[in-house]
Amino acid sequence: MDRASDHSLDRSSDRSFNGRLFGPGIDGAGLEVSASWLGKLLTIDTELPLNIRASDLQIAAAGFNMRQLQVSWQDGEDAYAFFIEQEEARAAFLATAPQSLQASLADARKARHRIDTRFHALLGAYGLYLALPAILLALFLFNLDRVVGWAAAKVPIGYEAKIGNMVLAQTRAQSQVIESGPAAEAIRQIGGRLTEGSRYQYRWLLVRNEQVNAFAAPGGVVVVYSGLIKQTDRPEELAGVLAHEIAHVELRHSLQGVIKKAGFSILLSVVMGDWSGSAIGGGIATLTEMKFSRDAETQADEEGLRRLVKANISPQGMPEFFGKLAKKESGGPDLSMLSTHPASQERMKMLQERISQLPARSYPPLNLDWERIKASL
Ligand SMILES: [Zn+2]
């Protein structure tokens, strides 16, 4: 007793730190003890005080989430470990440790920082897993589109561009891209006018394919088949198709479609920011025949018309082209686009109504030699 109280007098209390000591002859749960630095000696208050030289100590971050400092040493055959867990105790230990230990303390701090970062990521993932049943339930009870919209809204623009790059690479590998010439140039020129000021960096691809089709990938990749251009009678019709596809990008319909197709594993990537891309591949494969909801199509029509007007291009080309396709005889060209964009009476009526609501004005015709452009394909 005397010895203990004497001891507590010869050091200031803020220089001591509590921890749990493990070693030979100590109960498995460890022993709560107080310790302090005496110069280069770590002094641990036990019945027989332990004095260990700093140079004999090994220090590491340990425990759940690396929140403990683990101080360990050998005494002959015997191994000891002293765990400091409380924030204040760790601070006191670190503040009063001899200079010679600072290097290994810095290492322990770094390890803990790394673990902290990982731990927060893990917590996020774990939290999501816990939330998944609730998310799935919400899907069935409420609205799939809303959940997908939520996920899409969390995807950074830069990542959308990465998805677009994958589509670009895939399209280049699987199809014959017409890199230059008057038709490719016309797409770039009209597309450029329709996307002025966009937050996306658009990439335009003209593919040699007799199908009448066009589609948009997330992040601003627009693919047009040569077969579609052959079915147009004037550049305003191509502009109408481009404006509609651009609207799907701007309204993030393409991104939402990829998320729907890729399934909910992508939700994890969205929340975790882990863009390994593997979950997305399946969503991209079906972009060419991706069908959006009727609401999304209506939105894309409206946004497309708005962009045409803003770019000073006649919006009539849009209903003109889709209406014309609907009248084509079967046995003609493969009208793939009609399967995803039916030119229904309702849709045509809506387009004409919207156009008639616009202030009456004339639009300068697109100055392109359309017959020459079509002949180049
Ligand atoms: Zn569409």
Side-chain angles (χ1 to χ4, degrees), residues 7-236:
H7 194 81
S8 67
L9 285 175
D10 61 24
R11 56 163 201 223
S12 58
S13 58
D14 63 343
R15 300 206 136 219
S16 71
F17 34 85
N18 290 336
R20 193 161 282 273
L21 181 69
F22 296 84
I26 298 172
D27 164 42
L31 184 68
E32 190 70 37
V33 291
S34 174
S36 59
W37 287 105
L38 276 176
K40 291 190 175 184
L41 284 181
L42 176 66
T43 301
I44 298 182
D45 287 346
T46 54
E47 261 180 41
L48 284 171
L50 297 169
N51 293 299
I52 314 104
R53 281 193 302 265
S55 54
D56 291 336
L57 297 174
Q58 299 211 307
I59 298 170
F64 180 65
N65 195 24
M66 294 289 180
R67 290 210 170 270
Q68 298 173 338
L69 269 179
Q70 178 191 321
V71 183
S72 52
W73 64 94
Q74 284 292 130
D75 184 7
E77 293 292 303
D78 297 332
Y80 287 86
F82 180 52
F83 289 94
I84 308 166
E85 195 162 18
Q86 288 162 3
E87 187 74 45
E88 271 175 49
R90 278 203 309 269
F93 174 88
L94 295 172
T96 55
Q99 198 61 39
S100 56
L101 275 182
Q102 292 305 327
S104 50
L105 289 177
D107 286 345
R109 277 201 198 94
K110 260 186 246 155
R112 200 188 131 204
H113 177 72
R114 274 200 305 275
I115 294 293
D116 268 358
T117 310
R118 262 186 251 155
F119 180 71
H120 285 126
L122 196 70
L123 250 196
Y126 188 59
L128 185 76
Y129 274 123
L130 289 182
L132 264 184
I135 290 175
L136 288 174
L137 190 67
L139 287 184
F140 292 113
L141 291 182
F142 303 107
N143 193 336
L144 172 69
D145 290 335
R146 192 169 294 175
V147 177
V148 169
W150 168 84
K154 287 197 173 272
V155 176
I157 296 282
Y159 185 61
E160 257 189 291
K162 280 186 199 165
I163 300 178
N165 291 341
M166 287 169 72
V167 176
L168 203 67
Q170 199 170 312
T171 309
R172 278 188 195 284
Q174 290 172 354
S175 35
Q176 195 187 338
V177 174
I178 303 173
E179 303 280 0
S180 57
E185 185 45 46
I187 294 173
R188 272 193 283 275
Q189 189 191 320
I190 299 170
R193 277 174 69 173
L194 291 168
T195 55
E196 225 176 74
S198 169
R199 57 185 174 165
Y200 297 102
Q201 185 140 33
Y202 277 83
R203 276 76 47 86
W204 315 98
L205 274 186
L206 172 59
V207 165
R208 191 175 298 290
N209 189 317
E210 288 312 306
Q211 289 183 16
V212 180
N213 209 353
F215 64 91
V221 173
V222 177
V223 180
V224 180
Y225 287 0
S226 55
L228 184 142
I229 295 184
K230 285 182 185 173
Q231 293 300 319
T232 57
D233 288 316
R234 55 187 191 119
E236 282 76 6

Side-chain angles (χ1 to χ4, degrees), residues 278-297:
S278 56
I280 297 142
I284 290 175
T286 51
L287 263 177
T288 49
E289 61 246 22
M290 190 167 281
K291 215 167 176 162
F292 300 117
S293 72
R294 193 188 292 194
D295 279 355
E297 289 304 337

Side-chain angles (χ1 to χ4, degrees), residues 244-245 248 292 297 300 341:
H244 177 94
E245 293 304 326
H248 279 314
F292 300 117
E297 289 304 337
H341 294 84

